[in-house]
Amino acid sequence: MNKLHGTGVALVTPFNTDGSVDFDGLKNLINHTISGGVEYLVSLGTTGETATLNQEEKNAIWKFTKETVNGRVGLVAGIGGNNTQEVVNSFKHFDSEGFDAILSVSPYYNKPTQEGIYQHYKAISAASPLPIILYNVPGRTGSMVSADTVLRLANDFKNIVAVKEASGNFDQFNKLAKEKPESFLLISGDDPITLPMIALGAVGVISVIGNAVPKIFSSMVRLCLAGKFTEAQPLHYKLIDFTNLCFVEGNPAGVKAALKTLGVCGDTLRLPLVPVSAKTQEEINKELPQLT
């Protein structure tokens, strides 16, 4: 799974002002990130506002993204949920050609036990046409996928190949890095801690801010992966304030504000999400020139 090394970008879904999907904006975004040097793209992760898209829209976005990428970089599809059978059924209607892996978030809202999480992913493993990246993001799901559960899944199912870790828990990261199978990949799910996570053994990141500033962010990641942390540190520090601004009023509102300023796509979101305040937009605009 070398295609999952480096910088992946969880693409936003651009919308027109009437709320419809902006495919011209999506094309601009895909080309912007690829020209910025990222290694792969994630279509319809959390940052893509997947919760507000219907199945027809998802299928159209996947098809358009695959055709626009045209094999230039790796491509991952976000397919997850808190209804296990519905996730399993969704694979029957998913055209996996042109995709390299599935990113599947742990079940949210239900707050399952660790055994429930294990059985959820076991069912997905049996149904998935592609390798699976687990996604642990307790701040959104309301439950933690423990390191023991991740390791159990990694050892039991060959097509579960990686975990996107967004727990912010370094005890978790340490245990995974130390005890995981050699071929199993640890991927950062948090932009601001990508450098230290790579130092621990992560192979890269699935990024939000990479939508807006792919060149500087992917350069920082490549330096880290080459062991050049001293050279990477100035880029890491340079990105800190911008990264904080992109999340201060929620994701993807912040990064969409940056994309609007850059002329890549608009900042329209679907309710219940709303654009950032004028103050945050102004602060983002001040940070961008030094990063692009």
Side-chain angles (χ1 to χ4, degrees), residues 58-274:
K58 291 178 185 178
N59 291 340
I61 290 167
W62 280 324
K63 182 175 186 292
F64 183 86
T65 301
K66 175 173 61 178
E67 291 172 350
T68 304
V69 170
N70 195 27
R72 289 179 288 168
V73 295
L75 188 57
V76 175
I79 302 178
N82 63 342
N83 180 336
T84 305
Q85 191 57 51
E86 186 175 296
V87 177
V88 168
N89 291 342
S90 70
F91 290 126
K92 299 173 184 177
H93 310 290
F94 173 66
D95 181 4
S96 63
E97 185 179 355
F99 288 86
D100 299 293
I102 299 294
L103 175 67
S104 194
V105 68
S106 64
Y108 44 82
Y109 190 72
N110 310 50
K111 300 185 77 170
T113 63
Q114 294 303 305
E115 183 61 27
I117 292 170
Y118 176 88
Q119 293 297 334
H120 171 82
Y121 279 119
K122 179 181 179 180
I124 290 174
S125 170
S128 177
L130 294 171
I132 298 161
I133 306 167
L134 310 175
Y135 184 13
N136 181 34
V137 57
R140 285 187 178 272
T141 64
S143 65
M144 180 83 162
V145 185
S146 72
D148 287 336
T149 298
V150 172
L151 294 168
R152 185 182 173 198
L153 289 163
N155 283 297
D156 287 357
F157 305 104
K158 292 186 181 301
N159 66 338
I160 296 180
V161 299
V163 61
K164 177 185 176 183
E165 253 297 335
S167 66
N169 185 321
F170 273 83
D171 288 336
Q172 172 107 346
F173 306 155
N174 282 329
K175 185 175 179 67
L176 290 173
K178 180 183 176 184
E179 299 181 21
K180 70 180 183 64
E182 185 177 356
S183 61
F184 187 79
L185 306 180
L186 176 60
I187 299 170
S188 172
D190 283 317
D191 287 325
I193 59 171
T194 297
L195 186 151
M197 280 197 68
I198 293 176
L200 283 173
V203 299
V205 60
I206 294 177
S207 172
V208 172
I209 68 167
N211 279 277
V213 290
K215 187 173 182 180
I216 184 173
F217 193 75
S218 63
S219 295
M220 186 271 290
V221 171
R222 279 189 290 274
L223 286 169
C224 291
L225 290 173
K228 299 178 180 179
F229 291 99
T230 301
E231 294 176 46
Q233 282 174 351
L235 301 181
H236 168 75
Y237 297 140
K238 202 172 185 179
L239 287 160
I240 288 174
D241 289 343
F242 176 73
T243 303
N244 289 338
L245 286 168
C246 281
F247 290 95
V248 70
E249 293 189 42
N251 177 44
V255 76
K256 277 193 168 183
L259 289 166
K260 179 182 180 181
T261 297
L262 293 169
V264 176
C265 63
D267 66 345
T268 302
L269 298 105
R270 285 185 174 176
L271 289 171
L273 302 184
V274 295

